Amino acid sequence: MSDRSTEPCEPELLAPAPALRLKTGLPLTLGGLGVAFLLLTLERRLPFALPLQLASFAVGFVGILELLGGFERADAGELVVARPTLSRHVVEFAVSLATLVTVVRWLVAGALPGPDWLGGGLVTALAVTSLVTSYRVAESVGALRREPGKSLLSHGSLLVLGATLLAYLPMLGSYSLIDPWETHYGEVAREILARDDWFSLWWAQDGWFWSKPIFGFWLQALGFLLFGVRFGAGEMLLGTAGHLPHPEWAARLPIVFCSLLGQALLYAGLRRSWGQRAAIYGGLIWLAVPYWALISHQTMTDLPYAALLAAAFGLFLLGFATPAEQPLVQYELQLGRRTLYLTGRLLTWLALLCAAVPQSLYLASRNLTWVIRRGHFGFVAHADRFLSGSPGNCRLPGNEPCFTAHPVHSQPQPWLMALCWGLALAILLHLQRGERRLQRSLYLGAWICLCYSALAKGIPGLVIGLGTLGAWVFVTRRFRELERLELLSALLAFAALVLPWFVQLTLRHGPGFLERLLIHDMYKRAFVHVHDTNAGDDTSSLYYVWQLGYGLFPASGLALAGWLTTSGGPPESRAQSQSARILLASWILLGFGMFTLTLTKFHHYAMPIAAPLALLAGPFLAEARGNPQVSPKRRLLELLGWLAVTLGLVQAGAMLVWRSRLGPRLWLGQVPAWGNDGFWPGLLLLGLALSLALLLIRTAPSPGRPQSRRKTTVMTVLALVTAVGTLLIGRDLTVSRPSDIAGPARLFHLVCYNYARSWPSQLEFGPLLGGFALAAGLLLLLLAFGARARSQAAFGFALLCWMFAFFQCNLYLPQLAPHYGQQNTMRRYYALRRSKDEPLVAYQLNWKGENFYSGNHVAVFQSTGEPFRKYVDDLRTAGRRTVYFTTEHGRLSSLRSEIGMFQSFAAQTSRRENDKFVLVRVEL
């Protein structure tokens, strides 16, 4: 345990603002931010610009914190002295993190040999190692504490986050970006780097992209830079060492880490309200539900805004449960001759600085260019200007010409706006300088997360966040909390974080930007119905009931059960537990109402309320589990036993569902079929799995305090109802009815919008999904029996949910992606072409995968006609004989007729490789 001082700490918590430390803070601030500003003004980006910029921003941020007295000793608050092992743990964390980045860079560059699962396994192991070492660092500082004799896994958040990494990472970057969302947004992020413009977004042949705010694209673009993606024209899939490059790792990793942030902070809030066991079970269910697991693997804007919304609510919950005058804990850290005193508010300030300062500096740099080239050296002051077009592709068909554009509104210039936003940031930091109360820092952190959520998606994050918070205050009657919610600081944070991008885009592009973003993509989607992808479907209030049933499988019915479970923490914290339930219920009701009233309905819109619905299952499973006194050895045996049971149940279910004359297609491989039918071996395996489950139940320790008769009856009824509902939903996911969509496609439709598209015939996930449904139904039925059965079934169900998350992320999506993306067709083109003189043409395509994987270096013809025929004739005239076309299988006959005379016309990919897209080689 960390050492603690025994001196009393009762002075004022809102102390006078400390004097500015000009002697050390000012040079670091000016030096670090000055170098960062100079690098932003460079006419051309240097190869080493990113690490130098990151280092200079880090120095500048340290300078700002030093300037504000952030490292000084305060009179109030507990003092915790860091352990001597801190240095060793920091080195371990730094080494593991640097190794992780290096391995991902190798995968992105195609420099790591071996199968995809090997690289993914290495990334997963390094990510888990980095997570574990970060917890050791936190323990050494004193920010985390555990009882003597307890293992590191006694930190429940480590268990939940580690389980998330193990389920999410192994195959994360090994398969294609999926059309349309991932390739759309990936191409926009790629153009940020290609155009070197971090404010105005470009969208291949469609020009300016104004449909979504900027934050998600910043995340992806920074991921591309950090992990070394070759984002230039025609370079995306050119490996550096002869192996297949995987830019998908760089695109998806920032999204997963954003998910981890939301999970960690909301877990912390619920642990404070419900206790650790309920928070762990809720967290395990949350990471497994398809809404969250699948969308965490998509480079969409929905996950960042939902994860940051969850992070905000987690911090609000922590703030609600914190006494108003409780001071911040201080952590003493010896750094050479200097003693630093760290507090949690430094993390809040850093979260604020990380987006506010770069935006202001970037705006200021738009009026100054540092020219370094032969014959010219110096600074050139000018009005704001920016590039229109896609560099390196300006002369290709489908691309607009490149030229220097000027703002619609020339005044005020960016440097003046940078001063305004910088002033808002300075006022906010000044107000927070003397703050020593933990609750206020938590509330400020929550507002910052809410601002990031708005910067990722726009109005939805604000509506859900502010509406839920207002409903919670009203229902709980805690109106005095409004005085402590840091509302002025929230407004200043909004001005410093969110407004710079919105205002500058309005100045640059005028009313067209606002009309597209706010009117068309927000107001009209909600009230005018600008998209109709659900023709013939029921889009009433039941629409999202069905989608939530699929999106929360196999825990679809446990939210209600969790809400009706009366306990959720120790008896002394019942009010606090109920307060958390009210917040989650407000979040669910407001979100469901908003999405239901919205006329434009996509299946994935309801994803933000998947988090509170899944988390409400935590108290129910924790109550069923009880508090058995289990030794580490017994816990390991229990884990292995239930792993075997759940695998056996899923396997048996798959065999019972799949009864083909060719024999059973099994998840774990082929086994001899009895009479060419999987029924009898499946029945035998089912019996073995249930027998092992019975043995585990009979030998299990007592679950602890007995439950009342009333509570037992309620849990039994809820378990039976939930089991039946789960089996019915599993039937929908398993069975494909005539004139209806394929059952297994219902999960994939949560992350795409082309719901009428045919399902690839070679994909057969029905048996596996049926196996999961059977296993989940049986485990939920066990919850209706005695205390020991209930305790063991809760443990087994949580393990089954993790297995389902692993299945979705490492089997379901990787096998679907080749048919819903263009990675394989584009790779085949780069492998087959003999030189750059053999061009690639996208024929009647506008999915953006053809743009992303070619670095937009592709001639695009969205429609047929004279321009296309003239382009082909020009190729003949220029002596180009070999041309590659990427198109859809259904357009091959049209392509053949429009090309005219040719010597050969041969498809280079088959339907089995890609059910939708095909690469054709044509000899003119």
Side-chain angles (χ1 to χ4, degrees):
M1 297 294 293
S2 300
D3 300 328
R4 296 177 175 80
S5 67
T6 57
E7 54 190 88
C9 300
E10 283 298 330
E12 293 184 21
L13 295 175
L14 187 58
L20 293 176
R21 293 182 59 86
L22 299 177
K23 186 175 180 180
T24 55
L26 191 60
L28 288 174
T29 302
L30 295 179
L33 298 187
V35 172
F37 175 77
L38 290 177
L39 291 173
L40 289 172
T41 63
L42 279 171
E43 184 181 35
R44 296 180 180 178
R45 185 190 297 111
L46 298 176
F48 53 85
L50 176 64
L52 190 55
Q53 277 182 325
L54 291 177
S56 58
F57 272 121
V59 171
F61 293 164
V62 170
I64 293 174
L65 298 179
E66 175 76 8
L67 194 65
L68 297 173
F71 304 117
E72 296 304 304
R73 174 78 165 97
D75 294 331
E78 178 189 4
L79 179 64
V80 179
V81 181
R83 294 177 180 177
T85 57
L86 174 62
S87 300
R88 175 168 60 87
H89 291 150
V90 169
V91 171
E92 291 172 350
F93 172 71
V95 169
S96 61
L97 191 61
T99 308
L100 172 63
V101 172
T102 302
V103 170
V104 175
R105 289 179 68 92
W106 288 346
L107 289 169
V108 166
L112 194 66
D116 291 336
W117 63 263
L118 182 61
L122 187 56
V123 170
T124 304
L126 289 169
V128 172
T129 302
S130 300
L131 179 68
V132 170
T133 53
S134 70
Y135 271 69
R136 294 193 183 280
V137 170
E139 283 189 337
S140 296
V141 171
L144 288 177
R145 303 169 188 174
R146 55 179 156 126
E147 297 177 12
K150 294 286 188 179
S151 70
L152 198 63
L153 285 177
S154 62
H155 299 300
S157 57
L158 176 60
L159 180 64
V160 172
L161 298 180
T164 302
L165 290 175
L166 290 172
Y168 283 11
L169 289 189
M171 299 294 287
L172 177 70
S174 64
Y175 55 90
S176 172
L177 295 186
I178 294 173
D179 293 300
W181 304 120
E182 284 201 284
T183 50
H184 282 190
Y185 299 150
E187 173 59 15
V188 172
R190 189 200 66 80
E191 285 283 13
I192 287 178
L193 304 178
R195 300 173 64 254
D196 198 19
D197 189 338
W198 292 81
F199 268 54
S200 293
L201 301 177
W202 190 263
W203 201 22
Q205 61 269 12
D206 288 305
W208 300 114
F209 180 85
W210 297 329
S211 295
K212 295 292 184 292
I214 192 74
F215 183 68
F217 305 108
W218 281 344
L219 283 180
Q220 288 188 67
L222 289 172
F224 291 164
L225 280 178
L226 178 64
F227 298 118
V229 171
R230 303 180 70 179
F231 52 81
E235 297 179 351
M236 183 65 72
L237 291 179
L238 298 181
T240 60
H243 306 291
L244 296 178
H246 283 289
E248 298 85 3
W249 281 105
R252 294 190 180 115
L253 268 176
I255 305 299
V256 169
F257 288 136
C258 198
S259 172
L260 291 175
L261 174 66
Q263 289 174 265
L265 291 179
L266 188 50
Y267 168 88
L270 291 176
R271 181 187 183 278
R272 184 73 176 271
S273 302
W274 287 350
Q276 178 162 286
R277 188 176 295 106
I280 288 176
Y281 277 101
L284 292 175
I285 300 300
W286 180 16
L287 74 89
V289 297
Y291 254 142
W292 199 266
L294 294 178
I295 296 181
S296 291
H297 284 62
Q298 300 286 291
T299 59
M300 301 164 64
T301 57
D302 296 81
L303 192 281
Y305 109 85
L308 290 163
L309 193 62
F313 286 137
L315 290 172
F316 277 128
L317 281 173
L318 287 172
F320 298 153
T322 301
E325 301 304 317
Q326 179 177 330
L328 287 157
V329 177
Q330 299 175 85
Y331 306 98
E332 182 182 302
L333 177 64
Q334 195 70 32
L335 191 64
R337 298 181 179 179
R338 174 82 186 276
T339 301
L340 303 180
Y341 296 92
L342 312 180
T343 62
R345 65 176 182 162
L346 294 179
L347 295 177
T348 303
W349 290 359
L350 281 174
L352 181 65
L353 296 175
C354 281
V357 172
Q359 284 192 84
S360 294
L361 285 183
Y362 182 79
L363 285 174
S365 71
R366 296 308 86 197
N367 293 120
L368 190 68
T369 298
W370 187 7
V371 180
I372 304 177
R373 59 175 183 260
R374 183 175 299 177
H376 297 82
F377 182 87
F379 293 95
V380 177
H382 53 79
D384 185 29
R385 60 195 184 195
F386 49 97
L387 176 68
S388 177
S390 178
N393 309 306
C394 305
R395 298 181 182 275
L396 287 174
N399 277 273
E400 296 185 14
C402 295
F403 61 90
T404 300
H406 299 278
V408 172
H409 303 287
S410 59
Q411 296 297 332
Q413 283 294 308
W415 69 268
L416 184 57
M417 298 309 301
L419 286 179
C420 293
W421 311 129
L423 180 61
L425 175 63
I427 294 173
L428 175 56
L429 292 174
H430 175 74
L431 291 176
Q432 294 294 322
R433 280 175 63 201
E435 184 60 69
R436 296 289 185 270
R437 289 168 291 189
L438 174 59
Q439 187 187 62
R440 302 302 179 96
S441 293
L442 291 170
Y443 285 156
L444 178 60
W447 290 121
I448 291 171
C449 289
L450 199 57
C451 288
Y452 277 117
S453 179
L455 199 56
K457 188 74 172 181
I459 292 176
L462 289 177
V463 170
I464 296 176
L466 296 176
T468 300
L469 189 62
W472 178 86
V473 170
F474 178 79
V475 173
T476 59
R477 305 288 182 180
R478 293 177 65 172
F479 298 108
R480 291 193 60 184
E481 205 69 35
L482 294 174
E483 302 174 5
R484 299 189 286 266
L485 273 174
E486 296 286 329
L487 298 180
L488 176 59
S489 295
L491 292 175
L492 291 170
F494 187 81
L497 289 174
V498 181
L499 289 183
W501 181 78
F502 281 92
V503 172
Q504 187 61 29
L505 265 288
T506 304
L507 293 174
R508 277 189 172 184
H509 302 289
F513 161 71
L514 293 177
E515 194 281 332
R516 175 69 199 204
L517 178 64
L518 300 181
I519 305 301
H520 182 274
D521 283 300
M522 293 188 184
Y523 174 80
K524 287 186 176 180
R525 284 198 184 196
F527 302 112
V528 183
H529 203 167
V530 295
H531 294 287
D532 187 5
T533 59
N534 299 287
D537 290 343
D538 181 5
T539 55
S540 67
S541 58
L542 293 176
Y543 179 85
Y544 285 117
V545 173
W546 293 115
Q547 299 314 317
L548 285 166
Y550 306 135
L552 296 172
F553 180 82
S556 309
L558 285 181
L560 177 62
W563 176 254
L564 295 176
T565 303
T566 55
S567 67
E572 61 272 11
S573 63
R574 292 284 172 83
Q576 192 169 293
S577 173
Q578 190 66 10
S579 179
R581 291 168 188 273
I582 291 172
L583 182 80
L584 295 183
S586 302
W587 183 357
I588 293 167
L589 294 175
L590 182 70
F592 184 84
M594 184 181 77
F595 301 133
T596 299
L597 291 175
T598 299
L599 296 180
T600 300
K601 287 183 170 62
F602 290 129
H603 291 359
H604 68 275
Y605 274 0
M607 187 271 284
I609 64 174
L613 283 167
L615 288 165
L616 280 174
F620 179 79
L621 290 178
E623 185 70 26
R625 175 63 172 166
N627 188 24
Q629 301 301 314
V630 182
S631 66
K633 182 178 179 180
R634 168 69 195 188
R635 194 179 301 277
L636 178 60
L637 291 175
E638 203 173 51
L639 175 65
L640 295 175
W642 279 105
L643 181 62
V645 169
T646 50
L647 282 172
L649 290 176
V650 173
Q651 181 71 83
M655 295 169 71
L656 293 172
V657 170
W658 184 266
R659 301 179 62 183
S660 168
R661 291 185 177 273
L662 301 177
R665 291 185 186 180
L666 301 181
W667 181 20
L668 302 180
Q670 298 284 348
V671 300
W674 296 356
N676 291 326
D677 195 328
F679 180 78
W680 293 110
L683 200 60
L684 175 61
L685 185 58
L686 177 63
L688 291 174
L690 291 176
S691 299
L692 180 56
L694 181 61
L695 177 63
L696 290 170
I697 292 171
R698 290 180 63 87
T699 60
S702 171
R705 180 172 54 88
Q707 298 169 342
S708 65
R709 184 185 298 272
R710 176 180 175 275
K711 184 176 292 186
T712 300
T713 303
V714 170
M715 294 191 71
T716 299
V717 172
L718 291 175
L720 293 173
V721 172
T722 302
V724 173
T726 300
L727 290 171
L728 291 175
I729 294 169
R731 182 198 61 182
D732 280 357
L733 295 174
T734 303
V735 177
S736 299
R737 301 179 180 85
S739 72
D740 197 1
I741 65 172
R746 298 185 190 278
L747 290 182
F748 186 67
H749 285 177
L750 300 174
V751 296
C752 75
Y753 77 85
N754 191 4
Y755 308 133
R757 179 179 164 183
S758 61
W759 182 257
S761 59
Q762 60 268 44
L763 296 179
E764 183 54 74
F765 290 109
L768 270 177
L769 290 171
F772 275 108
L774 176 65
L778 290 175
L779 289 171
L780 290 171
L781 282 175
L782 282 177
L783 291 173
F785 293 93
R788 291 177 188 270
R790 229 183 337 265
S791 175
Q792 293 296 301
F795 184 85
F797 186 80
L799 184 59
L800 177 74
C801 287
W802 181 87
M803 289 171 52
F804 188 62
F806 188 90
F807 158 74
Q808 295 171 82
C809 302
N810 302 289
L811 292 174
Y812 185 80
L813 277 180
Q815 292 186 37
L816 279 171
H819 303 282
Y820 287 85
Q822 299 186 55
Q823 180 203 70
N824 56 353
T825 54
M826 301 302 293
R827 278 181 171 170
R828 188 67 55 85
Y829 162 70
Y830 285 104
L832 292 175
R833 73 173 190 180
R834 291 187 291 268
S835 70
K836 295 180 180 180
D837 293 330
E838 297 179 354
L840 177 67
V841 181
Y843 178 75
Q844 293 188 2
L845 288 186
N846 190 26
W847 291 93
K848 297 299 187 291
E850 63 274 12
N851 303 102
F852 176 81
Y853 282 112
S854 67
N856 199 28
H857 198 68
V858 55
V860 178
F861 293 91
Q862 296 184 36
S863 59
T864 60
E866 183 59 31
F868 175 76
R869 291 190 288 271
K870 182 179 183 303
Y871 175 75
V872 175
D873 290 339
D874 290 343
L875 290 177
R876 289 194 181 95
T877 304
R880 303 280 186 90
R881 290 294 177 258
T882 303
V883 184
Y884 290 88
F885 295 87
T886 178
T887 187
E888 298 177 16
H889 286 281
R891 305 186 188 277
L892 285 178
S893 59
S894 174
L895 173 63
R896 185 189 297 267
S897 64
E898 283 213 81
I899 289 176
M901 296 182 296
F902 55 82
Q903 294 182 3
S904 66
F905 185 99
Q908 305 300 304
T909 57
S910 66
R911 277 190 178 273
R912 189 159 190 83
E913 294 175 273
N914 191 316
D915 184 71
K916 186 174 184 68
F917 303 105
V918 60
L919 179 70
V920 180
R921 178 176 177 172
V922 177
E923 296 289 339
L924 299 176

